[in-house]
Amino acid sequence: MMEEKQGIVAEIIFQNRENGYTIAVFETEEEQFTIVGTIPACQKGSSYSLQGKWKTHPTYGEQFAVSSYEEVMPSTEAGIKEFLASGVLKGIGGKTAAAIVARFGSETFDVIEHSPQRLTEISGIGEKKAAAVAEAFRSHREFAEITLYLQQFGINADYTMKLYKVYGADTIAAVEENPYRLAEDIFGIGFKKADKIAEKMGIARDDEHRIKSGIKFTLWYFAGEGNTFLPQKVLCEKTGGLLEVEIDKIEDCLVEMVFQGDVHVEKLENRNVVFLMPYYLAEQNVCKCLTAINNAAPKPVGSDPDSLIRVTEQESGITLSTNQKYAVKASLKQGVSIITGGPGTGKTTIINSIIRILQHSGLKTAIAAPTGRAAKRITETSGFEASTIHRLLEYYYSESEDTMRFGKTAEDPLDYDAIIIDEASMIDLMLMNGLVSAIRPGTRLILVGDADQLPSVGAGNVLRDLISSEYIYSVKLTEIFRQAGESLIVVNAHKINKGEYPYCNEKDQDFFMMRQKTEKGMLEVIKDLCTRRLPSYYTEVVPVRDIQVLTPVRKGLLGSISLNRELQDALNPANPQLEERQFGERLFREQDKVMQIKNNYQLKWKNQENFTDGEGVFNGDVGFISKIDREFSEVTVIFDGCKYVTYDFGQMDELELAYAITVHKSQGSEFPIVVMPMSWFPPVLATRNLLYTGVTRGKTAVVLVGSEDKMRAMVDNNRITQRYSGLSIRLRAMLDF
């Protein structure tokens, strides 16, 4: 139940200056207690009216959790003196505070705000210091006023801090002028939250700011679903339904946005389509760069390919099949080539062979993948050092532009004779744009991946578009090699991909189906598998590290959110020895398995294995919480077993639990054991290629839990969600040309 408390801050126990998170002792006329919450610029001696409710922390006992607050400026001379001496105004200590109040009394605040030059009447205060005191006081009052103003629209102190960092003194003006800009400028404030703010401000439903923001929201929403554009008719209908506004008003605003350069409209395949400008420019540039790389003659290898293949076979002790040799030779001839195939078809063997041939020929070669996990796996299986594409392109954060940039560009291209990219199905349009922009014509670009897996999380359908365009040379591997063929995971992956039902529960095999009829029953079996049955059978398995639950959905009893709560309680239960912290609806505990859910190019990490450091943690990276430090309001997460990253409490919206993750989030990863629920899921998600992708993540064992009928329905559902993408169309036009 919400309560109001009025009093003063008697003592600051902890305060994070970055995000304003505060732990303090608060005194009212009747009692003294601990308060916790985001109260930026809170100082000892400050007076507040607090709104909040009581909660009990397992270690620290009863606390008053502050949800909103209003600073009450002191009116007595004693209160004013204590406020000035609190440190809120830099440069004023106890002696100076006493002297100021002795001189100006109850008019002190009025003098500081309106006649700061009068402060020079106090010994030790010159004009410069007087101006600094006045500026500090103005900033303090300004932030307090902004906080109070924004609270009426439901904007809490966390977001107030973010807004103030972006807009400063203009925060209120920015919100009043166009609250919808918050959705674009502030991470965590989406269109719907901005729309609620606008509604409370009385902004009309057909206001042009609302309609334009709604159009952008719709385009960005569908970009999040993988689309680089939307047909104009679809866009107007979707936006109209979202805003409950007439289509003609949406079309009028769309025309204005075209002239303002926010969107691009063009005719593709006899229909008008609408791009957000960054995706239009990226598609155009990818097409242009790929054409230039593909048409340029690559640097020749040192001998005839057959001789080079024989040498690599002798070195590796592996004999390539006819199809594998064909794929190797084709990739050596082309400017751009694609090698695609399912598990067990020898893609890794081909990569290793190509690398050896290029090295024997004295050609400088780079190997990269879209994620750190995939790059690490290449290094482990091939012995050749691989990096992420981001690191290959020397990404960095540009403070002036407040965005991520690549150091390697068309102006300063990559210095390699050949570039091999694995897990190419994960590459989205924007990453592909950065990659091909930095490749000089004459460099071989070899893309390796499984085109039958789910497409990239980001917008675009790059690998499939390149293959379907028939403009880029591609080879598909279909033969399963003997050792891989002994694994039912590999055999079943190919059966699923061909629309056949998998073999389950064969003796001494690695693919299992545990039948359960109800979702509650499935949940209990999944927990039992993760905590008891699988670790007792596979004795080398560390459950939290080696068992990964994959699910098609986020919501529902068998969605990742619910499963994470249940698995956290089962695998890492509450313990007085383990610090924990609630962030909104998420509870994090030391030793929890967590995932980064947005790219953060500024997050610093330290590698404890080789004592290097760097920046950048990416969407989908999985790690473990090693420490939650309440004193410093920080959480330390270890990624890849050696990279230590420190988050302040204000950044915890970038993490979520990862005992269970969606199949989409698992792309590019391999796990010793995969467990997947088989229940009713929306048909758009319960698809063949989603099941195929999930199954191919497992290396030692795959366990399906639930209904065999639902599993078979997924195999039968060969729906491939149509992504709106223009890359294949543009490349086919180049082929025709």
Side-chain angles (χ1 to χ4, degrees), residues 2 35 152 249 345 366 439 556 589 690:
M2 201 69 73
I35 61 170
Q152 67 182 308
K249 290 186 177 179
T345 56
I439 297 177
R589 187 175 292 132
L690 184 137

Side-chain angles (χ1 to χ4, degrees), residues 36-63:
V36 294
T38 303
I39 315 174
C42 177
Q43 298 285 343
K44 181 180 177 180
S46 297
S47 298
Y48 288 100
S49 173
L50 307 177
Q51 292 277 341
K53 56 185 177 182
W54 294 100
K55 69 172 189 178
T56 302
H57 186 273
T59 304
Y60 300 106
E62 198 169 47
Q63 300 172 333

Side-chain angles (χ1 to χ4, degrees), residues 15-22 36-42 48 50-51 65-70 143-144 146-165 171 186-187 189 193 650:
Q15 185 169 58
N16 185 315
R17 297 290 179 186
E18 281 294 308
N19 60 27
Y21 179 79
T22 302
V36 294
T38 303
I39 315 174
C42 177
Y48 288 100
L50 307 177
Q51 292 277 341
V66 178
S67 57
S68 64
Y69 67 91
E70 179 182 357
F143 186 77
I146 288 168
T147 300
L148 189 60
Y149 172 81
L150 295 179
Q151 280 178 3
Q152 67 182 308
F153 303 121
I155 301 176
N156 64 28
D158 284 331
Y159 287 118
T160 299
M161 279 287 288
K162 291 181 179 182
L163 287 165
Y164 191 67
K165 283 182 178 178
T171 299
I186 311 297
F187 176 71
I189 297 184
K193 192 172 286 186

Side-chain angles (χ1 to χ4, degrees), residues 494-511:
H494 287 272
K495 285 177 70 67
I496 290 166
N497 202 28
K498 290 187 284 188
E500 300 171 9
Y501 304 139
Y503 301 118
C504 300
N505 303 334
E506 302 273 327
K507 187 179 179 184
D508 298 325
Q509 266 298 343
D510 52 11
F511 196 101

Side-chain angles (χ1 to χ4, degrees), residues 255-274:
V255 171
E256 284 186 41
M257 292 173 74
V258 171
F259 283 112
Q260 290 164 349
D262 293 327
V263 298
H264 173 80
V265 177
E266 70 173 301
K267 184 160 277 192
L268 282 181
E269 295 187 325
N270 299 316
R271 61 182 173 180
N272 280 348
V273 302
V274 184

